Amino acid sequence: MAKLQILEYPDPRLRTVAKPVEVVDEQIRQLARDMLETMYEAPGIGLAATQVDVHIRMLVADVSEERDDPRVFINPEILEKDGVEAMDEGCLSVPGIYERVERADHIRLRSTNLDGETVESEAEGLLAVCIQHEIDHLEGKLFVDYLSDLKRQRIRKRLEKSRRSQTPEPVVRARSPAI
Ligand code: K1U
Ligand code: ZN
């Protein structure tokens, strides 16, 4: 069973702007472990703290085939963006929907690691796209916001319909006749 519950669109909590992490302590390291476990189990290639209703700037990702390259980014800041990549994106908060989104194909970023050190790194391809998608979550933005109003409305209706069909009907018992 997943460690943490993932919020689903259109939950308004997904619109919260996350606050920076002040100190990387054991509580933050435990949250990172729980987020990774939740992401692997979903399964997904990324997860932002916002999606598990924790509104701090932290995200996790693993885009490796072997699922053995966990990454944690605390207080991520994009320093440079380069190139354009159009990719079909999914989102664990918008289950079953995949749509094409254009993003930078190469990024340079500054973040804090689990030892509390500030590090600079680069990412390209799927990892770059995934990090940008997760940083959007930390800013209260979802990939469906890049789509037309009509597409977004259709997605919302499709999700509502699928949720209704998954919700069991209440059992209505016939009243026993009064004796
Ligand atoms: O943030 C999220 O909701 C996770 C999302 C990340 C993402 C996917 C694609 C492009 C950009 C960002 C997902 O992981 S959706 C599931 C998914 O893409 C996937 C799941 C299992 C194996 C491979 C991919
Ligand atoms: Zn997402």
Side-chain angles (χ1 to χ4, degrees):
M1 216 178 83
K3 273 246 161 199
L4 305 167
Q5 199 195 334
I6 298 175
L7 300 177
E8 289 191 4
Y9 177 73
D11 192 311
R13 290 172 289 181
L14 286 168
R15 298 305 184 180
T16 312
V17 177
K19 296 211 161 64
V21 172
E22 302 284 348
V23 185
V24 180
D25 56 13
E26 194 43 42
Q27 206 183 333
I28 293 290
R29 284 187 275 271
Q30 184 58 50
L31 176 63
R33 287 192 287 271
D34 290 347
M35 285 174 58
L36 282 165
E37 194 180 325
T38 305
M39 176 195 78
Y40 285 124
E41 203 174 285
I45 57 169
L47 188 70
T50 309
Q51 292 176 279
V52 293
D53 203 17
V54 180
H55 301 285
I56 59 168
R57 287 184 66 85
M58 177 158 80
L59 67 92
V60 298
D62 186 346
V63 299
S64 68
E65 290 272 319
E66 298 76 20
R67 316 285 284 150
D68 61 355
D69 187 18
R71 314 269 185 123
V72 179
F73 299 93
I74 300 167
N75 298 335
E77 265 179 85
I78 295 183
L79 304 174
E80 257 177 61
K81 288 184 180 193
D82 229 339
V84 184
E85 168 107 56
M87 212 179 261
D88 279 344
E89 293 192 15
C91 180
L92 299 174
S93 296
V94 191
I97 308 288
Y98 287 83
E99 293 286 347
R100 188 142 293 214
V101 176
E102 270 190 11
R103 300 201 190 254
D105 150 73
H106 183 272
I107 56 171
R108 210 161 63 76
L109 76 157
R110 182 183 296 137
S111 58
T112 301
N113 66 19
L114 287 173
D115 295 320
E117 300 159 339
T118 302
V119 286
E120 284 190 16
S121 54
E122 296 195 24
E124 58 182 7
L126 184 56
L127 181 60
V129 167
C130 182
I131 291 172
Q132 291 169 83
H133 174 116
E134 304 311 333
I135 291 178
D136 272 356
H137 275 302
L138 302 179
E139 283 155 13
K141 191 164 182 172
L142 292 160
F143 84 113
V144 294
D145 299 344
Y146 293 102
L147 309 176
S148 67
D149 288 350
L150 181 65
K151 262 194 176 170
R152 205 167 36 254
Q153 219 169 41
R154 283 192 180 145
I155 290 171
R156 205 179 157 135
K157 284 200 175 129
R158 210 184 310 164
L159 290 176
E160 278 164 5
K161 195 172 166 196
S162 113
R163 259 174 232 136
R164 269 200 308 275
S165 71
Q166 282 164 26
T167 312
E169 292 285 321
V171 181
V172 181
R173 291 182 201 284
R175 289 181 59 197
S176 8
I179 306 172

